[in-house]
Amino acid sequence: MSDPSDQNPLGSSADAQPVPSRPKRTVADLNRGVETIKGYLRTLPDRPGVYRMLNDHGDALYVGKARSLKRRVTNYTMPVKLPIRLQRMIAETTQMEFVTTHTEVEALLLESNLIKKLMPRYNVLLRDDKTFPHILIKGDHAFPQLTKHRGTRSEPGHYYGPFASAGAVNRVLTALQRAFQLRTCADTVFSTRTRPCLQYQIKRCTAPCVEKVSPPEYADQVNEARAFLEGKSRDIQAELAQAMQEAAENLEFERAAKLRDRIRALTAIQAHQDINIEGVDDADIIAAHQDGGLTCIQVFFFRGGRNYGNRAYFPSHDKAQEIDEVLAAFIAQFYDNKAAPGLVLVSHELTEHDLLQEALSVRAGHKVELHLPKRGDKKRLIDHAVTNAREAHGRRLAESGSQTKLLAGVAEVFGLSEPPKRIEIYDNSHIQGTNAIGAMVVAGPDGFIKNAYRKFNIKVPGAAGDDYAMMREVLTRRFERVIKEDPERAGENWPDLVLIDGGEGQLAVVAEVFAELGIEDVCLAAIAKGPDRDAGRERFFMPGRPPFGLDHKSPVLYYLQRLRDEAHRFAIGTHRARREKAISASPLDEVPGIGPRRKKALLLHFGSARAVSRAGLADLEAVEGINRTVAKIIYDHFHPEG
């Protein structure tokens, strides 16, 4: 019996990935796509490279790499041999772009970079790939600061990590303060202290700011902390124990007590490392579990022999793709913006294992081993990670089922024809019109879509402080942009439901904006607190419909409250960050040519921005890094009449 998919290659398939609605493709579209691809074959070289398949809007459908561009692209001209997913992709293809590379490794590196940049809908996609926090012991001060760091490694010093979360790095920082008592204060605070702060009183700092510790002694603290973070904890504990014993024998009981407290702090850190494995110093453990078309990938970080936490990922992919293919694509994208450690343990045999291993080594600048352990302690690490992946997978499926029911309930409440795939929620925040911002949060079938959140700094004069005017500006800017970028609504940035935090007045303003922009088919609603702002008695407003409420025990009401509260949280947090930035702004920020280093040098030399503004030319030139030209710029900025 013939396969139905052979008779109708573009028909429905239970294995196809759910995607946003698109115009239905026909066999004629498939044939046209094949002819389009054939047109490129005549000029394609038999060399490594990367190819992009584009639709009629110029959007990337798929990014692939090949050892031979000509041979790989030829495969797409024989669609009968390809999965339905790729047949649909070919049917949408109207043009292609190519980049040749010297080697297949270069092609793999470029492919992963382009996938993360373009997010093609037919590739495996790692949608949540934020930078991880590190611990930094700074190297530009006589008494180095211990601090948390996220982002590029531009500051001099020693970095340790990555840590899976801010909570994980904060716990280690607290333990390090107890054990090694390094300062955590900023240089500007350090330079102006005249007496020890609370950290000294609670024995988390030795107060180098007021010379309670000598430079050599503090340097020893720094070296011990670095050795501990590099995995030499046993050596450090042995040295501290010996020093404590010597202090006790010399009747230096106060010093012995301090050393005892530090040893206890180190022991406490060790006690929380529940799955450490002897012989695994710097390694990432990456394990996957797949079921029901959903893949969960768990990543554990081990550095210096200690577990720095783990994080679960759910990459987007077609339901028919095998777990080894998904895992290989994930690893290539995961390490696109970060260096892999010397050892990466994986749970499955990877497609193109050797090529991926070489690519990771090239990107990291050192040898990287991709290893699938079969037995022993490393196998137990992988088994532990797989168990975590399986459990996270189960939780996600349960949450997804619950989310589906909630969205169906939302559709019923607001009269939508089907559950919304994208809900946008808006709120404003300001204090008496200052630092006014608008905020948009987004939710969908998989929960909150945090990389789609947007903030809007209020720009229109007079709008700040006027809630109606602010809402008008925010919604106008948002939808003018989406109309310009996607007028045919072919992408995923158009909402099915817009929810406003406010009442009838805010709703009327947004309805006017939609009417002016010609938007007629986006559902619009507002949610307002009930009498006395009583949560649970919310009132809902919609155009052409009387206000209504929901049963206070309704799960849909609770879900809508969560959406509203998330928008409020994001708006308040964004407003607070903007306000704090304004408060901490310095007059030096407005001086042309004064970057962070010169600003720091000036503040350390003069003590305050006000003192800088009063300084003479000769005094300014005396500051390290400030030449005569820059000194004149600073002086003229604060003395324009001169």
Side-chain angles (χ1 to χ4, degrees):
M1 182 178 292
S2 62
D3 188 337
S5 64
D6 292 337
Q7 301 171 17
N8 183 13
L10 298 178
S12 62
S13 168
D15 292 332
Q17 180 188 17
V19 294
S21 59
R22 294 286 196 278
K24 190 172 182 179
R25 300 294 172 179
T26 64
V27 174
D29 293 323
L30 179 62
N31 293 334
R32 189 208 62 222
V34 169
E35 292 303 315
T36 297
I37 295 169
K38 284 181 177 179
Y40 291 97
L41 290 177
R42 293 188 297 271
T43 57
L44 277 183
D46 187 17
R47 289 179 52 189
V50 173
Y51 58 94
R52 280 178 280 180
M53 308 182 85
L54 311 176
N55 64 12
D56 49 4
H57 297 293
D59 300 323
L61 297 169
Y62 184 78
V63 174
K65 63 105 180 86
R67 182 182 302 173
S68 167
L69 283 171
K70 192 176 189 70
R71 288 200 295 270
R72 175 61 60 83
V73 174
T74 299
N75 293 337
Y76 293 110
T77 63
M78 296 173 282
V80 175
K81 300 180 180 180
L82 299 175
I84 291 176
R85 171 179 65 95
L86 297 183
Q87 293 178 16
R88 288 176 173 165
M89 178 186 72
I90 293 169
E92 292 185 47
T93 300
T94 59
Q95 53 185 313
M96 295 185 71
E97 294 179 352
F98 305 91
V99 178
T100 59
T101 59
H102 292 95
T103 65
E104 192 178 4
V105 168
E106 288 183 17
L108 177 59
L109 295 174
L110 179 58
E111 177 198 39
S112 60
N113 181 270
L114 287 175
I115 290 172
K116 291 185 67 175
K117 180 180 178 181
L118 301 175
M119 305 295 282
R121 59 189 295 260
Y122 286 100
N123 284 97
V124 175
L125 300 179
L126 173 57
R127 295 184 180 273
D128 179 20
D129 189 25
K130 299 176 183 177
T131 57
F132 294 98
H134 286 68
I135 286 176
L136 168 62
I137 298 179
K138 291 189 174 181
D140 58 351
H141 198 282
F143 296 98
Q145 176 193 9
L146 175 71
T147 186
K148 178 171 62 178
H149 178 87
R150 191 191 290 268
T152 58
R153 301 186 182 188
S154 56
E155 295 188 61
H158 299 274
Y159 294 83
Y160 302 93
F163 290 81
S165 65
V169 76
N170 288 337
R171 287 191 293 272
V172 174
L173 277 174
T174 300
L176 289 173
Q177 282 183 267
R178 290 172 176 163
F180 303 106
Q181 300 180 19
L182 300 182
R183 73 176 181 94
T184 57
C185 59
D187 291 348
T188 50
V189 175
F190 179 89
S191 63
T192 56
R193 293 296 304 181
T194 57
R195 59 179 182 174
C197 67
L198 180 62
Q199 295 296 318
Y200 174 77
Q201 305 298 334
I202 62 176
K203 299 179 181 179
R204 294 193 183 184
C205 179
T206 50
C209 54
V210 290
E211 300 180 352
K212 291 288 186 180
V213 61
S214 67
E217 290 173 327
Y218 191 85
D220 288 340
Q221 293 173 224
V222 171
N223 291 334
E224 289 172 355
R226 286 183 54 196
F228 177 81
L229 288 167
E230 290 166 2
K232 303 173 184 175
S233 55
R234 292 184 178 178
D235 295 340
I236 297 300
Q237 283 183 288
E239 291 174 5
L240 291 176
Q242 183 178 352
M244 181 181 69
Q245 182 67 27
E246 292 175 356
E249 291 174 354
N250 295 331
L251 306 182
E252 299 174 9
F253 299 118
E254 185 176 351
R255 180 168 179 265
K258 289 181 179 179
L259 291 168
R260 178 204 61 201
D261 292 341
R262 292 178 64 188
I263 292 171
R264 286 178 177 174
L266 286 175
T267 303
I269 300 176
Q270 306 296 334
H272 288 88
Q273 303 300 315
D274 53 346
I275 56 169
N276 288 356
I277 298 296
E278 192 72 26
V280 176
D281 293 324
D282 292 349
D284 287 347
I285 290 82
I286 304 180
H289 175 76
Q290 186 181 78
D291 192 19
L294 178 70
T295 303
C296 175
I297 298 178
Q298 280 277 357
V299 182
F300 281 78
F301 303 101
F302 281 76
R303 296 296 184 271
R306 279 181 297 279
N307 177 16
Y308 280 176
N310 63 295
R311 184 178 293 187
Y313 293 88
F314 295 86
S316 172
H317 64 88
D318 186 87
K319 290 184 177 181
Q321 288 182 280
E322 297 295 334
I323 191 169
D324 57 338
E325 182 184 354
V326 175
L327 186 58
F330 170 87
I331 291 173
Q333 293 177 51
F334 184 75
Y335 290 112
D336 178 66
N337 62 350
K338 61 182 73 69
L343 177 63
V344 178
L345 302 180
V346 295
S347 59
H348 294 76
E349 200 72 56
L350 300 176
T351 55
E352 300 183 315
H353 173 279
D354 294 342
L355 177 66
L356 184 55
Q357 181 173 267
E358 185 180 353
L360 295 182
S361 300
V362 169
R363 183 176 286 147
H366 58 76
K367 183 179 179 181
V368 175
E369 179 188 0
L370 275 174
H371 180 55
L372 172 60
K374 302 292 186 180
R375 62 184 67 85
D377 290 341
K378 293 177 182 177
K379 179 64 166 59
R380 283 195 289 275
L381 272 181
I382 283 292
D383 291 343
H384 178 82
V386 168
T387 299
N388 277 265
R390 185 183 302 110
E391 292 172 351
H393 180 278
R395 289 192 296 270
R396 172 59 69 93
L397 284 181
E399 292 168 2
S400 178
S402 174
Q403 188 83 353
T404 300
K405 292 181 181 177
L406 288 172
L407 291 175
V410 169
E412 183 178 352
V413 166
F414 295 119
L416 296 170
S417 60
E418 59 182 7
K421 296 182 177 65
R422 181 183 174 103
I423 304 174
E424 293 182 358
I425 310 96
Y426 293 86
D427 192 14
N428 298 323
S429 183
H430 64 91
I431 295 179
Q432 296 181 342
T434 62
N435 303 308
I437 65 100
M440 175 188 85
V441 304
V442 183
D446 294 326
F448 290 111
I449 309 171
K450 296 199 173 183
N451 61 0
Y453 286 16
R454 294 293 181 268
K455 62 181 179 181
F456 301 83
N457 293 324
I458 301 302
K459 299 177 180 178
V460 176
D466 182 340
D467 285 338
Y468 295 161
M470 290 171 64
M471 192 63 72
R472 170 177 287 277
E473 178 181 342
V474 169
L475 271 293
T476 300
R477 285 167 56 186
R478 158 64 183 150
F479 283 93
E480 280 183 345
R481 178 167 182 173
V482 75
I483 288 172
K484 180 180 178 181
E485 293 179 348
D486 187 12
E488 298 182 12
R489 307 192 185 186
E492 302 175 7
N493 290 328
W494 276 91
D496 302 302
L497 170 65
V498 168
L499 189 62
I500 306 299
D501 184 7
E504 202 164 9
Q506 283 87 349
L507 179 73
V509 168
V510 179
E512 289 177 6
V513 172
F514 277 20
E516 292 168 3
L517 297 177
I519 301 172
E520 300 177 349
D521 55 351
V522 173
C523 183
L524 176 61
I527 176 173
K529 290 274 183 73
D532 301 321
R533 303 185 66 81
D534 183 10
R537 299 176 65 188
E538 279 81 1
R539 303 294 290 168
F540 294 91
F541 301 86
M542 297 183 70
R545 184 174 170 181
F548 61 94
L550 299 176
D551 187 292
H552 70 281
K553 295 182 180 180
S554 167
V556 175
L557 174 61
Y558 176 68
Y559 176 66
L560 293 170
Q561 289 172 343
R562 281 176 54 209
L563 297 183
R564 185 265 320 278
D565 293 345
E566 173 67 3
H568 190 62
R569 180 203 65 78
F570 183 60
I572 291 292
T574 304
H575 166 73
R576 183 179 293 120
R578 188 179 179 195
R579 188 175 74 245
E580 290 175 353
K581 184 177 180 181
I583 292 172
S584 62
S586 167
L588 294 177
D589 296 333
E590 302 174 5
V591 182
I594 301 300
R597 288 188 179 182
R598 284 174 172 165
K599 177 183 173 183
K600 179 179 177 181
L602 288 164
L603 291 174
L604 288 175
H605 185 89
F606 291 103
S608 68
R610 177 177 292 183
V612 175
S613 69
R614 295 174 177 175
L617 271 172
D619 295 328
L620 291 169
E621 288 183 55
V623 179
E624 183 180 355
I626 305 296
N627 57 32
R628 184 172 184 81
T629 302
V630 176
K632 186 70 166 59
I633 291 173
I634 299 170
Y635 184 84
D636 290 344
H637 177 81
F638 291 112
H639 304 83
E641 71 284 353

